[in-house]
Amino acid sequence: MADNGIGWTRFPRGDAFFPEIRMTFREHAVPIVGITALLAWMEALLCFEGVLRDDVMYGGGIVHDPFFVGFALLGALGCVASVLISRYVDRSLASCALEGRPALYTAGVFGIVGTLGAALGVLCAESMPPWLSFACGACCGAACAWMLLRFCGIFAELDLRQTLVALMPTFSLQWAVMIAIPVMPLIVRPVFVAVLLVVSIISVARSCGSDAEGHGTPVNARTAVRLFRMVAAAFILSTIVQFLITYFVHGIDVPLDPAAFSMLFFFVMVAVFVVFAMIIRIMNSMEGYRVDLFYRTFFVICLACIGSIGIARSWHVASYIGMYVAFSLMVPVLIILALGISAVAPLNARQSSGEVLGSMFLGQLVGFVCAIALGSSNARLEGFIVLLCLMAVGSAYAFVFPESMLERMMPHAFKLERKTLERRCDEVAQRFELSPRETEVLVFLARGRDAAYVAERLTIAKSTVTTHRKSIYRKLGVHTQQQLLSVVDGEDLSLHER
């Protein structure tokens, strides 16, 4: 890999990118299949055309709506709880509570019970109390939050490039599962959806990954600001996307024919695949892993879908498909951003992912509730709604988390992911003749760790870490950690040579 002069990681010309995709699939097939199954399980429960669509109304007002509220609410609370545990609970206890087999099996039981309870409740929708649907949604939401964060921890162990390659097709393949669900017999659907969750649980159990690193480390002001703006952008975008999807279902006078559900998901799958394929081709021609292409494409699709609502009512179906495509782009971008900020800051993947995904769940809840409160479509309000949505999406792109901030953060993240960082530290150690112990300390310093953290991880005294750090600074000819990062990052390396 080389650097293209503007900070984006490069790969050789030609077809070098595509063998890397195949190699990533072979090496990490288990977590890729697992997160695909988890996303398909999630969509099958939350989509208005999924297994919880009852016969009372197209939107599933008796079963689906209370379930959705419980799912989103507990999903957000579960992410918040995970962040708090990661920050304030002892590392060993937090690891047991968040990563151990008991937590995995508990999440699985909650998810399966909630899935079967809600799906079977559709058969007797008119007699199913809303609180029971809400409780089933809460069980599934808590399980989903735990599983998503666990997968983030697994993918955090990979290079960010590998994570990007692995996530791209995943968000297209989930819709292939959704194509098959509408044509299944009603009694088979809940069992099939529960099997999807079981597949996801098995993949977590078989995959290694630990995001305990960075636990309890204070976050500096710059990282805190970036993370806050990322969380705010995630909340705004997920709110708008969910609002428009729900508004379509509850606001349009003529709902989709159930016979067209499979065709709807087919078009969504094809559209997502085409978008991902185009971005891969562009990245291959530009010789770089450009996360900004996903970010930019997501906003373009959002703006086009919102505009189509205001232009012609006959375009609503196309807009509806487009919002599902936008959602398929939004989730991987948010995961990549969360993992990226944890790669360049003293922050573990569970903390950053928990905050970003928690805001996504909360945004879905707010968008859903606002659309339900608005009720049926109103021609006089529709123009005002379109304007507000356009302003919200535009503000998120231009001011809250602009692309310029993404460009400043992600190139550094893609150059300093864990395996690449260790390789660069080894090169620096050989060049400046560092001892093996000094090389170990250098890796932690390059990740932004303090002396207390390094001492705990290496089981040595804090004063010994301080001595090694002084020796490293002297040999590299630097005086601050920022200068040390510049040396490791290869910036003006010759200026630091003795």
Side-chain angles (χ1 to χ4, degrees):
M1 297 290 177
D3 187 74
N4 63 1
I6 60 173
W8 294 101
T9 304
R10 298 175 64 179
F11 44 84
R13 280 189 176 276
D15 295 330
F17 189 39
F18 299 99
E20 182 164 349
I21 293 178
R22 293 192 293 270
M23 182 179 65
T24 299
F25 284 178
R26 287 197 303 268
E27 293 179 353
H28 309 290
V30 172
I32 290 175
V33 170
I35 194 170
T36 302
L38 178 66
L39 293 171
W41 170 76
M42 181 174 154
E43 296 296 344
L45 294 176
L46 298 186
C47 279
F48 291 100
E49 302 81 16
V51 297
L52 301 187
R53 188 185 70 87
D54 56 64
D55 294 330
V56 177
M57 61 181 298
Y58 170 62
I62 291 182
V63 177
H64 176 278
D65 291 1
F67 181 93
F68 190 103
V69 173
F71 190 104
L73 180 60
L74 264 294
L77 292 178
C79 290
V80 172
S82 177
V83 172
L84 295 177
I85 292 174
S86 298
R87 284 185 178 178
Y88 302 114
V89 178
D90 177 75
R91 183 181 293 114
S92 60
L93 294 177
S95 178
C96 180
L98 301 177
E99 301 173 18
R101 289 297 177 94
L104 171 63
Y105 297 144
T106 301
V109 170
F110 271 67
I112 292 174
V113 170
T115 299
L116 295 178
L120 295 177
V122 174
L123 299 176
C124 53
E126 295 183 358
S127 60
M128 186 174 185
W131 65 264
L132 185 55
S133 296
F134 178 89
C136 292
C139 291
C140 292
C144 183
W146 189 93
M147 296 289 289
L148 277 177
L149 293 176
R150 195 68 197 91
F151 275 114
C152 287
I154 293 171
F155 283 112
E157 293 297 309
L158 310 181
D159 283 358
L160 283 175
R161 294 189 299 269
Q162 291 178 313
T163 302
L164 179 62
V165 170
L167 288 178
M168 282 191 294
T170 294
F171 290 83
S172 176
L173 294 176
Q174 62 173 315
W175 298 107
V177 178
M178 294 297 296
I179 294 174
I181 289 179
V183 299
M184 292 180 181
L186 187 61
I187 194 63
V188 176
R189 297 179 190 177
V191 177
F192 177 76
V193 175
V195 169
L196 291 175
L197 181 60
V198 172
V199 170
S200 184
I201 293 170
I202 293 174
S203 72
V204 170
R206 294 185 58 186
S207 301
C208 60
S210 174
D211 52 359
E213 183 172 319
H215 171 87
T217 306
V219 180
N220 58 45
R222 184 178 183 182
T223 301
V225 171
R226 284 180 173 178
L227 185 58
F228 174 78
R229 296 179 70 171
M230 188 186 302
V231 167
F235 173 78
I236 294 173
L237 297 176
S238 59
T239 299
I240 297 301
V241 169
Q242 188 59 52
F243 173 83
L244 292 175
I245 292 175
T246 309
Y247 177 78
F248 175 89
V249 172
H250 287 269
I252 302 305
D253 298 330
V254 182
L256 291 178
D257 185 348
F261 289 168
S262 292
M263 188 63 67
L264 168 69
F265 293 129
F266 173 78
F267 282 123
V268 173
M269 183 188 69
V270 171
V272 173
F273 179 82
V274 169
V275 170
F276 281 140
M278 291 177 59
I279 293 177
I280 289 174
R281 278 293 180 184
I282 294 173
M283 289 195 299
N284 196 46
S285 63
M286 298 177 68
E287 304 180 64
Y289 290 79
R290 302 296 300 265
V291 181
D292 61 320
L293 293 176
F294 290 92
Y295 199 62
R296 195 178 303 162
T297 304
F298 167 75
F299 279 101
V300 170
I301 293 176
C302 276
L303 293 175
C305 294
I306 296 172
S308 68
I309 294 177
I311 294 174
R313 298 183 63 84
S314 59
W315 288 16
H316 277 317
V317 174
S319 176
Y320 188 52
I321 294 175
M323 295 315 300
Y324 273 135
V325 175
F327 181 80
S328 297
L329 284 172
M330 178 181 70
V331 179
V333 167
L334 292 180
I335 292 177
I336 287 292
L337 291 179
L339 296 182
I341 199 170
S342 69
V344 299
L347 186 71
N348 69 22
R350 185 173 290 277
Q351 287 181 250
S352 58
S353 303
E355 295 192 28
V356 173
L357 294 178
S359 66
M360 182 193 74
F361 279 117
L362 184 60
Q364 288 181 305
L365 176 61
V366 172
F368 180 83
V369 172
C370 289
I372 295 296
L374 187 63
S376 60
S377 177
N378 189 317
R380 291 180 297 178
L381 292 178
E382 198 162 274
F384 183 68
I385 293 171
V386 169
L387 178 61
L388 286 180
C389 291
L390 289 174
M391 291 177 60
V393 173
S395 298
Y397 183 79
F399 304 111
V400 179
F401 195 78
E403 190 175 320
S404 59
M405 180 173 289
L406 176 67
E407 291 177 348
R408 288 196 301 269
M409 183 184 76
M410 294 312 292
H412 187 64
F414 271 81
K415 287 191 294 182
L416 292 184
E417 69 279 6
R418 291 180 179 175
K419 293 181 181 179
T420 304
L421 176 60
E422 293 175 359
R423 184 170 62 249
R424 288 177 178 270
C425 288
D426 288 338
E427 294 173 356
V428 171
Q430 293 178 8
R431 182 181 293 240
F432 293 96
E433 301 179 354
L434 301 183
S435 68
R437 178 62 83 180
E438 288 173 342
T439 303
E440 292 179 336
V441 174
L442 174 64
V443 173
F444 284 105
L445 295 178
R447 292 177 184 165
R449 310 310 184 194
D450 58 15
Y453 180 85
V454 177
E456 181 181 352
R457 292 302 298 269
L458 297 180
T459 320
I460 58 179
K462 183 177 178 181
S463 58
T464 304
V465 176
T466 303
T467 301
H468 286 312
R469 182 171 58 188
K470 291 180 179 179
S471 177
I472 293 170
Y473 279 21
R474 176 178 55 80
K475 292 181 179 181
L476 270 61
V478 300
H479 304 284
T480 65
Q481 188 169 8
Q482 187 61 44
Q483 292 176 339
L484 181 143
L485 291 175
S486 296
V487 174
V488 174
D489 202 20
E491 299 175 2
D492 297 325
L493 190 60
S494 60
L495 297 178
H496 298 280
E497 293 184 357
R498 295 179 298 164

